[in-house]
Amino acid sequence: MTAPTTETPLSREAAAMLMAPPPKSKEEYFARFAKTWKVLRVGSFPEDEALDRSRAERTFERGLNPAGVGRQLRAVLASGSRKERLGTVKAPTLVVHGTVDPLVRPEGGKDTAASVAGAKLVMIEGMGHALPIPMWPQIIDAIDKHAHGAAAKAA
């Protein structure tokens, strides 16, 4: 996750979601899970929404660590800019980013790609901060082409 900058603020809804107190019950967790992913997906994706309950159940059964979520957010915000270090990346780099991402605005994805020499940027129209099922073919194709291109260059 890239730290948000003043140029790429979180959406109000995404910020509220991140700052909300942890759910107090299993049912509240399931409702929050669905709401969170609706915010992250930015829009209606019925195929994904139909899976929210079963995904939430698996996540709940695996165990939750609400304090860990807060620690991760504080670590991201405290770590500051990693932009200078991106310039040292030598590996073939593909940045896949959504055009409507409410957590890391599109400018953040563009800036990340511009900061890595030779990086390829793929902006997925209508994608937020999630990988909705209807967008999988486009994402998989981009990764496949990138991986094969990198392999061909290495050979």
Side-chain angles (χ1 to χ4, degrees):
M1 177 183 218
T2 304
T5 66
T6 55
E7 296 84 24
T8 59
L10 299 174
S11 75
R12 187 172 297 191
E13 193 174 23
M17 176 194 71
L18 289 173
M19 300 304 176
K24 293 180 171 64
S25 69
K26 187 176 186 177
E27 284 306 314
E28 188 179 329
Y29 174 79
F30 293 162
R32 175 82 56 81
F33 184 98
K35 182 179 179 188
T36 296
W37 285 103
K38 181 130 180 112
V39 168
L40 294 177
R41 284 189 292 259
V42 186
S44 180
F45 293 92
E47 290 175 273
D48 292 274
E49 292 165 20
L51 297 173
D52 281 346
R53 178 71 182 207
S54 63
R55 289 172 173 168
E57 288 171 352
R58 285 193 312 271
T59 302
F60 190 88
E61 294 305 320
R62 212 174 30 240
L64 304 177
N65 186 347
V69 173
R71 283 193 301 272
Q72 179 185 5
L73 179 59
R74 286 190 301 278
V76 167
L77 296 173
S79 67
S81 176
R82 293 175 285 284
K83 185 173 179 168
E84 186 176 314
R85 287 178 277 166
L86 288 173
T88 66
V89 173
K90 302 294 183 227
T93 302
L94 173 66
V95 177
V96 177
H97 206 283
T99 61
V100 294
D101 190 325
L103 290 183
V104 181
R105 297 293 191 175
E107 296 80 11
K110 291 173 185 175
D111 190 43
T112 297
S115 298
V116 178
K120 178 167 175 41
L121 174 65
V122 175
M123 297 297 294
I124 307 290
E125 189 63 40
M127 187 171 83
H129 198 81
L131 305 174
I133 294 167
M135 294 167 182
W136 288 4
Q138 187 178 356
I139 295 164
I140 291 166
D141 184 56
I143 293 169
D144 180 59
K145 285 179 179 167
H146 181 74
H148 282 92
K153 285 180 183 176

